[in-house]
Amino acid sequence: MLAMPAAAADYGHYVLGDTTARTPGKVQPGLLLMGGGDRNFDAMHWFMKKAGNGHIVVLRASQGGEIGEEFFNEIGGIASVETFVFKDRESASDPAVLAALKRADGIFLAGGDQSRYVRYWRGTPVAEALDAHVRAGKPLAGTSAGLAMQGEYLYGAMDGGSQTTPQALADPLGDGNTIETGFLHLDKLKGVITDTHFTERGRLGRLVAFVAKGESLAGRPLIGLGVDEDAAVAVEGDGRARVYATAPGAGATVVKGGFAQKQAEDEPMQLAQVETVVAGVDSVLHLPSGKIDRPAAQRRYAVRDGVLVALDAPLLVIHGGAGVERASLSAEEEAEARKALAAALRAGHAQLKAGKPAVEAVSAAIQVLEDAPQFNAARGAVFTHDGKNELDASIMDGASNRAGAIAGVHRVKNPILLARAVMDHSRHVMMVGDGAEAFAAEQGIALVDPSYFRTEKRWQQLQQALAEEAKAQASSTPLVLPGKAYFGTVGALALDAQGKLAAGTSTGGMTNKRYGRVGDAPIIGAGTWADARCAVSGTGWGEFYIRSAAAHEICARVRLGGQPLARAAEGVIDRDIPKAGGDGGAIALGADGSVAFPFNTEGMYRGWIGADGVPHVAVFRGEELARP
């Protein structure tokens, strides 16, 4: 049966099935809180069963009857589905709408513009009907905006926008955090503020801000409940809830309120500690208390000057360069590279475990990679046109915004240490060539004979490049280098136990480079960046990273655009740079513990290590790399 509009009215009305048929099963109480992603069939089947597999009424304020068609034709198992699409507040008093809600076995609040729901339904007979429906022991469900509407306090998006985490934390009591109440009165969500598309859109910080604003209005503690896109929380009549997930790791996060520090309007949020608990598929969530049996995770955060930072959750992320190709990597070389990545992770983790700041972990990890001949940095650096090894490096401390960089050195055993010395012991940010090496000698940085950097594989790569160049010259054809000619960098990012970030990058540049060419690795903002909320190290075609200020651009999209870290990183690395003609990869780390490993080549040496001290390493595309 096709969904056909019923008689003309001030609202859209769509019907599928027989609304007069007998309800097959027993109607039972329940709430379904869906995070807003692709339809969660198991969760929907739970909801349909709670509705006795009878008659479902869908309420929405945009689009048409599509969701009803999905419920009836794809999910199935119900007698009918009736959809009402509201266009104004007056329709919330329409007798036909109210009659349908009264006879409904289950009501579903669809996604859309939640400010319309507040304007159209709050204080109307529809809101009264929803409360009465739940009091009668019937199930109510909602997704996205339809979930956000169900808490005692809710984010109404009344200014026509949608708050991002940076915006919300920049002024938690401001007008942008339009926290509303007096809409629904559901016992199991009393004292709860809900949010959707949670992890995927980086909304933890904004939920913390919502709770703070809600508490300022309520004058009592509240909790926040954020549901991931790939998750749904099914709440039984007694308040016990379980998570249905359609992707590994998806769940629901409880933000414990009762914040001790009061916030000031027009001021960024300051909060010494925020506790969160995550409910996974094996957990039992109790509402409205927010207690979780068998939690999937428990985490502590702080908010400093409007920046959400993870506490007691040290994390190290590294890369050994993008552009890795299976055809050019033997099994033995691959094994050695993985071993070196793991060693670098352990070295950096040892610093974090000892309570050292993030810059110490970055330096320690990169030194191991510089000493490993498998990577194009220091010991394994490629050769210039003149048969020399020319080294660049940079480091940046996100906590202080200090940075140091060096370029074009030939005798510095560990360039990252010299970059660190520039940052710590000079008034400058970048030094190059002979002057940088003179400074290294003054600082006691180890200098070696240039032969130390020679490896046979890199020498042969230069010979091949010279031969290709000679061939092109002999045939009077331009030499077009593949993107992989520009690859080869190592980098590390660290988040220490105090929630502070650092980033570092080191490279030997590109094979057969001339004229003192310098890529992005030593350029702050291009190949390396760290600030209070975001750190990045790039690896790829440096000219394009420089032109786009790639590392800084990723963090700017997080800070100014409110984008989740992964989306920001993928947007720059996988879209902007290829569109301009380049390619490569990067690693990115947020102060909240989020990570990203975007790359658009066959492989990228990469890995991470967390508080448990277990290295996680991957090389090629398609390899599963568990996330923190």
Side-chain angles (χ1 to χ4, degrees):
M1 181 185 299
L2 295 176
M4 298 296 292
D10 292 336
Y11 47 81
H13 184 202
Y14 304 83
V15 180
L16 280 167
D18 183 359
T19 60
T20 65
R22 177 178 173 276
T23 298
K26 179 182 178 181
V27 177
Q28 304 172 72
L31 299 175
L32 183 61
L33 313 175
M34 305 187 71
D38 292 336
R39 200 65 62 217
N40 188 320
F41 275 50
D42 288 341
M44 286 303 302
H45 286 141
W46 176 90
F47 172 66
M48 301 305 188
K49 184 177 180 180
K50 288 291 183 183
N53 298 106
H55 305 285
I56 307 299
V57 171
V58 176
L59 301 183
R60 65 189 320 174
S62 59
Q63 301 185 51
E66 304 87 354
I67 195 170
E69 294 180 29
E70 180 184 331
F71 287 0
F72 194 81
N73 297 322
E74 296 181 34
I75 297 173
I78 51 177
S80 73
V81 59
E82 196 168 3
T83 303
F84 293 93
V85 183
F86 288 70
K87 301 176 183 177
D88 52 39
R89 184 176 174 86
E90 288 69 29
S91 299
S93 299
D94 186 90
V97 174
L98 300 178
L101 291 174
K102 186 173 183 178
R103 68 172 179 265
D105 296 314
I107 299 176
F108 189 93
L109 307 178
D113 180 350
Q114 55 214 56
S115 67
R116 293 186 184 181
Y117 295 170
V118 175
R119 293 197 305 270
Y120 292 173
W121 298 342
R122 183 169 58 183
T124 71
V126 161
E128 294 175 5
L130 293 173
D131 279 343
H133 176 87
V134 174
R135 285 197 307 270
K138 297 179 180 181
L140 176 69
T143 186
S144 193
L147 161 59
M149 293 295 98
Q150 296 186 46
E152 180 186 7
Y153 287 82
L154 57 96
Y155 170 59
M158 304 304 290
D159 59 355
S162 181
Q163 282 283 74
T164 65
T165 281
Q167 292 169 338
L169 293 177
D171 186 7
L173 301 189
D175 294 340
N177 277 0
T178 54
I179 302 302
E180 308 292 328
T181 192
F183 183 41
L184 296 182
H185 307 84
L186 309 181
D187 288 344
K188 298 302 179 285
L189 293 178
K190 185 175 178 59
V192 179
I193 298 178
T194 56
D195 206 355
T196 64
H197 303 281
F198 194 65
T199 299
E200 294 78 2
R201 298 187 184 178
R203 286 181 166 175
L204 175 58
R206 86 168 196 169
L207 184 55
V208 171
F210 292 168
V211 171
K213 178 81 175 267
E215 290 186 344
S216 74
L217 299 173
R220 56 185 165 87
L222 305 175
I223 66 169
L225 178 62
V227 184
D228 294 341
E229 280 188 6
D230 296 319
V233 176
V235 187
E236 299 289 344
D238 62 2
R240 289 180 300 111
R242 63 162 293 185
V243 171
Y244 288 93
T246 58
T253 298
V254 171
V255 173
K256 297 181 179 181
F259 299 151
Q261 293 166 260
K262 304 304 180 184
Q263 305 304 313
E265 193 166 349
D266 300 325
E267 294 291 335
M269 193 170 197
Q270 309 287 349
L271 207 55
Q273 181 172 300
V274 182
E275 293 186 14
T276 70
V277 188
V278 180
V281 293
D282 297 322
S283 305
V284 177
L285 167 63
H286 298 270
L287 290 172
S289 71
K291 178 186 175 184
I292 298 177
D293 300 334
R294 300 186 300 277
Q298 300 184 62
R299 302 187 178 102
R300 290 196 317 123
Y301 297 85
V303 183
R304 299 172 184 153
D305 296 322
V307 178
L308 182 72
V309 299
L311 299 177
D312 303 326
L315 186 61
L316 177 71
V317 183
I318 66 172
H319 73 79
V324 186
E325 295 179 340
R326 292 182 187 274
S328 62
L329 196 66
S330 69
E332 182 180 359
E333 289 172 325
E334 180 183 337
E336 288 299 314
R338 291 178 184 271
K339 182 179 178 181
L341 290 170
L345 289 168
R346 291 191 184 96
H349 177 262
Q351 299 297 312
L352 295 174
K353 186 178 180 180
K356 299 293 182 63
V359 288
E360 297 288 353
V362 166
S363 297
I366 291 180
Q367 284 180 72
V368 173
L369 298 174
E370 287 178 334
D371 291 342
Q374 291 80 20
F375 309 107
N376 177 16
R379 181 72 177 89
V382 299
F383 286 88
T384 68
H385 180 80
D386 298 324
K388 298 179 180 179
N389 304 105
E390 207 162 73
L391 314 172
D392 311 326
S394 63
I395 193 167
M396 189 168 187
D397 178 10
S400 64
N401 205 38
R402 294 180 304 119
I406 54 96
V409 299
H410 302 277
R411 298 186 301 130
V412 179
K413 182 175 184 288
N414 288 110
I416 194 65
L417 294 182
L418 181 53
R420 174 79 183 275
V422 171
M423 178 177 73
D424 290 342
H425 304 299
S426 83
R427 296 176 298 168
H428 309 302
V429 171
M430 177 176 278
M431 297 181 185
V432 301
D434 293 342
E437 292 194 349
F439 180 71
E442 290 180 6
Q443 295 296 314
I445 304 295
L447 299 174
V448 295
D449 186 89
S451 62
Y452 166 82
F453 302 106
R454 178 190 172 100
T455 60
E456 186 60 26
K457 182 174 183 177
R458 300 303 190 198
W459 182 254
Q460 293 305 321
Q461 287 173 344
L462 172 63
Q463 304 315 304
Q464 181 180 352
L466 291 171
E468 291 172 354
E469 182 179 66
K471 182 178 179 181
Q473 291 174 345
S475 60
S476 299
T477 57
L479 177 63
V480 179
L481 296 175
K484 67 179 182 180
Y486 294 84
F487 296 159
T489 309
V490 303
L493 314 171
L495 173 68
D496 63 30
Q498 286 71 48
K500 298 177 180 179
L501 292 164
T505 311
S506 181
T507 187
M510 60 177 293
T511 298
N512 199 28
K513 67 179 180 179
R514 292 191 184 190
Y515 314 118
R517 179 263 187 187
V518 175
D520 63 300
I523 298 180
I524 301 302
T528 301
W529 181 261
D531 57 33
R533 75 179 78 230
C534 172
V536 175
S537 174
T539 165
W541 197 330
E543 280 70 13
F544 293 92
Y545 283 60
I546 295 170
R547 292 168 188 160
S548 63
H552 180 269
E553 176 67 15
I554 291 169
C555 292
R557 293 185 184 192
V558 174
R559 175 171 55 92
L560 302 175
Q563 293 187 11
L565 182 75
R567 184 188 304 171
E570 290 164 5
V572 173
I573 301 301
D574 291 340
R575 289 194 292 276
D576 292 3
I577 286 178
K579 184 178 179 180
D583 46 10
I587 52 176
L589 175 60
D592 61 357
S594 56
V595 299
F597 300 89
F599 63 98
N600 47 57
T601 62
E602 186 177 349
M604 181 174 78
Y605 296 115
R606 60 201 187 276
W608 67 272
I609 191 168
D612 63 0
V614 178
H616 301 266
V617 170
V619 177
F620 296 107
R621 181 173 297 282
E623 281 188 64
E624 186 171 337
L625 183 62
R627 297 301 174 95

